[in-house]
Amino acid sequence: MQGEDYTPRLLPSGEQALTFQISEAVDEGANRRIIALAAALDRAIAAGEIAGVTERVPTYRSLLVRYDPERIRGAALGEALLALHAGLEARAETGRLWRVPVHYGGPAALDLESLAAEKGMTPDELVALHSGAEYRVYMIGFAPGFAYLGGLPGILHAPRLPQPRQLVPAGAIGIGGKQGNINSVAGPSGWRFLGATPVRLFDPRRADPFLLEAGDRVRFEPVDAAAFARLSAEAEAGSALIAPEEAA
């Protein structure tokens, strides 16, 4: 992973966490490097080379690492992270590919027609553009399993609503600025929504409650109302509905 100018910054985040930041911008290269650093940290912990880490959270351009100060000091952890970062090697990282069924319609399509009109296209044209792209899961955050997606076609970039709606359902597929998203749980949101998937990104009944990980890829596949209803019933019964096609 050489060639990019990703100069690390160590930022204390309270008394039990450290943020390792490598960029001020949101870009895929920085995100790939942060995910690789998180994986290298996992390997070092498993090998007993670093102790005291209680959690790590990769984001767009930084890695938040929580630690037990009785087992490792922040300065020592920072030095260990700098060493891991310096030793990262270039390798292809494609992530797992998920094909997510989406019904572009129904109660969750709150902004489909108005956004299409804003963009000077028909709803069908907007759906074709949205479902024709491949998205990158940059990070999981905000709510359990909530996926922030990069790769939204530029023509579909749209500002968030000036006033958030108080309740948007789980599974709603949205646009906020130049990002896409999949709602993991019901809640308030100012994003613009085009439809919904029956796939649940967060389900505490599963062995692994969280479906997606940072670095995964997503493609949306349109389904009609009947298929959406059938798949929703399967999801309510506990089915994950989809599985990754490949892994990095």
Side-chain angles (χ1 to χ4, degrees):
M1 291 190 176
Q2 304 301 319
E4 305 95 339
D5 182 20
Y6 296 130
T7 303
R9 296 177 62 201
L10 295 170
L11 306 172
S13 300
E15 297 180 350
Q16 299 182 24
L18 186 66
T19 296
F20 189 97
Q21 181 176 306
I22 62 170
S23 175
E24 293 290 342
V26 174
D27 71 86
E28 184 172 331
N31 187 242
R32 287 179 180 273
R33 196 167 185 88
I34 286 297
I35 291 170
L37 177 62
L41 176 60
D42 290 344
R43 292 191 295 270
I45 293 170
E49 299 167 359
I50 298 177
V53 172
T54 58
E55 183 182 18
R56 93 292 189 276
V57 183
T59 71
Y60 285 100
R61 54 195 172 88
S62 64
L63 182 68
L64 175 71
V65 183
R66 292 176 57 86
Y67 62 92
D68 180 351
E70 294 186 354
R71 300 181 63 199
I72 188 170
R73 306 303 294 174
L77 176 60
E79 290 298 321
L81 291 172
L82 286 169
L84 288 175
H85 181 260
L88 293 179
E89 297 180 358
R91 62 177 180 178
E93 178 263 296
T94 57
R96 301 174 298 176
L97 174 64
W98 302 84
R99 297 189 182 275
V100 177
V102 177
H103 176 44
Y104 290 93
L110 298 163
D111 303 289
L112 177 58
E113 293 190 4
S114 61
L115 186 56
E118 281 182 32
K119 300 299 183 181
M121 61 182 70
T122 67
D124 286 346
E125 290 171 334
L126 191 153
V127 168
L129 282 168
H130 187 264
S131 62
E134 183 171 284
Y135 299 85
R136 175 181 177 82
V137 180
Y138 270 91
M139 62 176 284
I140 303 295
F142 172 68
F146 184 100
Y148 289 91
L149 307 177
L152 182 70
I155 193 173
L156 298 184
H157 293 182
R160 302 184 191 192
L161 298 173
Q163 182 170 345
R165 297 183 174 97
Q166 293 306 299
L167 185 64
V168 176
I173 304 296
I175 291 173
K178 62 181 181 180
Q179 302 174 102
N181 88 308
I182 306 175
N183 263 17
S184 57
V185 296
S189 179
W191 293 58
R192 316 281 285 275
F193 289 93
L194 312 180
T197 178
V199 175
R200 293 294 171 257
L201 300 193
F202 173 69
D203 188 340
R205 297 172 297 179
R206 296 194 297 250
D208 184 352
F210 305 103
L211 192 67
L212 302 182
E213 297 177 354
D216 284 351
R217 295 170 294 142
V218 171
R219 296 196 69 97
F220 295 122
E221 298 193 335
V223 298
D224 61 22
F228 178 80
R230 175 178 55 80
L231 292 170
S232 294
E234 293 178 14
E236 286 298 319
S239 172
L241 297 182
I242 60 174
E245 292 188 5
E246 58 186 86

